[in-house]
Amino acid sequence: MSEAFIYDHVRTPRGKGKKDGGLHQAAPIWLLRTLLQALQQRSQLDTALVDDVVLGCVTPVGEQGADIARTAVLDAEWAQTVAGVTQSRFCASGLESVNLAAMKVMSGWEELVVAGGVESMSRWPMGSDGGAWVMDPRVNQKTGFVPQGIGADLIATLEGFSRGDVDGFALRSHQRAAAARAAGHFARSIVPVKDIAGLTMLDQDETIRANASLEAMARLEPSFATIGQMGFDATALRRYTTVERIEHVHHAGNSSGIVDGAALMLVGNAEGGRRAGLKPRARIRMASVIGSEPTIMLTGPTPACRKLLAKVGMAASDVDLWEVNEAFAAVPMKTARDLGVDLDRVNVNGGAIAMGHPLGATGCVILGTLLDELERRDLSTGVATLCVGGGMGIATLIERV
């Protein structure tokens, strides 16, 4: 098989996912148009050489619907021969797009593929598309559905993570992100979003709190205690009979932020890169997906990473840097503990607690952040992994070339 290389990565800043957020006035198609044009201009890419654009979008309705990948190709004035497909693996959609691109390239069927994702959460709130898992009472009951925050609090309870533990992790996320932003560590990949008149709408991640403190976090009320009392705690405890009660420790300050954003990555084989005059930055060595228990829902990263590492004959200690999506603080904390990885190697520039989680794009964002940091530190290997709605996990291993 051919090898799959990463040739470039771009992303928008992440804007607060509310009406006063910096990207609220930018339609999701505008975010993609911005990135496609930037990707073309950065390397003078002949877009006719690109076979396909694979995009993740978790809520593909309204202006995010109707195969936004193909629409974006046309709106960005890329060659009309470039195809486009939109898919959803819930929170992992952005990384799934990269993995699908790698599979396309490694199979030899295609030579250059753009992968990534988009989510405008201020314009199309999470859950706008419905679905039987959430909306159908029969399916709801059969699958033991509870909101993800209940699952996160259950993980913290099972693992013995206190409110102070998860708040401490969240504080480090903000501190690391603020330091990375100040040092320019994100500058290589961020593309400022401008309006139609050329005025800058947003040029840096909007939700990082450089002044975050444990004292401020301690004043925040748990976000999921009330809905837990409405019956979701009881649903979860029917599955986890050894737990007497769920300790509700997660809140807005130690959970991923709701934001708008998009990201793209150019993936290709050696011949595709040669024809386009591109230099590879890393190879995608392996990827994995797994299904996990759907009520707790958020434990997938550990088995996904173990499956990945087993396939390439590596141990977790062989990996230089890790990006574990910060859906909730307990998720990367548990993943690192399970794998025996020191938190000094996990999310070294902060994560979604500080910068937000634009659902369809996040996986591509964190893989690109991982690549940039491997290059900055002159390290070799990294793994990006996410927990996924419905009880799944995903992981991708890259190696610099």
Side-chain angles (χ1 to χ4, degrees), residues 156-354:
T157 301
L158 289 166
E159 296 291 326
F161 297 145
S162 68
R163 171 71 181 260
D165 293 333
V166 291
D167 282 359
F169 183 92
L171 178 62
R172 286 192 297 275
S173 182
H174 281 284
Q175 291 173 336
R176 288 175 172 181
R181 181 176 63 183
H185 294 174
F186 304 133
R188 177 172 184 177
S189 295
I190 284 184
V191 177
V193 178
K194 299 182 179 182
D195 65 17
I196 199 166
L199 300 177
T200 298
M201 302 176 73
L202 192 65
D203 61 3
Q204 61 182 356
D205 296 312
E206 192 172 24
T207 61
I208 299 171
R209 295 194 298 275
N211 62 346
S213 68
L214 290 177
E215 293 74 21
M217 288 190 191
R219 292 192 290 270
L220 297 174
E221 293 293 325
S223 296
F224 308 103
T226 300
I227 61 172
Q229 293 170 0
M230 293 168 59
F232 287 118
D233 278 6
T235 298
L237 293 176
R238 281 196 291 272
R239 290 281 178 98
Y240 291 84
T241 57
T242 61
V243 178
E244 183 176 344
R245 64 187 298 269
I246 296 174
E247 299 295 332
H248 291 286
V249 298
H250 288 92
H251 51 74
N254 57 33
S255 306
S256 56
I258 293 173
V259 294
D260 303 331
L264 297 177
M265 188 167 280
L266 181 59
V267 178
N269 61 17
E271 178 60 20
R274 185 194 65 76
R275 292 174 62 199
L278 302 170
K279 181 179 179 181
R281 297 172 60 185
R283 64 171 56 87
I284 299 172
R285 285 194 57 189
M286 184 57 66
S288 70
V289 291
I290 58 91
S292 61
E293 199 281 300
T295 295
I296 203 167
M297 199 185 309
L298 307 172
T299 55
T302 295
C305 290
R306 287 176 174 161
K307 178 180 178 181
L308 173 87
L309 294 171
K311 283 181 174 292
V312 293
M314 292 175 65
S317 57
D318 297 327
V319 178
D320 294 316
L321 292 177
W322 295 78
E323 284 285 329
V324 184
N325 187 41
E326 296 173 358
F328 302 90
V331 174
M333 292 171 67
K334 173 177 171 54
T335 304
R337 173 185 282 184
D338 290 345
L339 297 174
V341 174
D342 193 293
L343 286 173
D344 287 344
R345 291 193 286 144
V346 177
N347 303 354
V348 296
N349 289 323
I353 289 173

Side-chain angles (χ1 to χ4, degrees), residues 14 91 93-95 117-118 259 263 325-326 352 356-367 386:
R14 283 165 278 189
C91 330
S93 299
L95 192 56
V118 64
V259 294
N325 187 41
E326 296 173 358
H357 178 17
L359 302 177
T362 301
C364 184
V365 171
I366 66 173
L367 190 66
L386 300 91

Side-chain angles (χ1 to χ4, degrees), residues 50-68:
V50 176
D51 295 292
D52 201 3
V53 173
V54 183
L55 291 182
C57 184
V58 176
T59 311
V61 296
E63 59 190 354
Q64 292 187 159
D67 193 2
I68 193 172

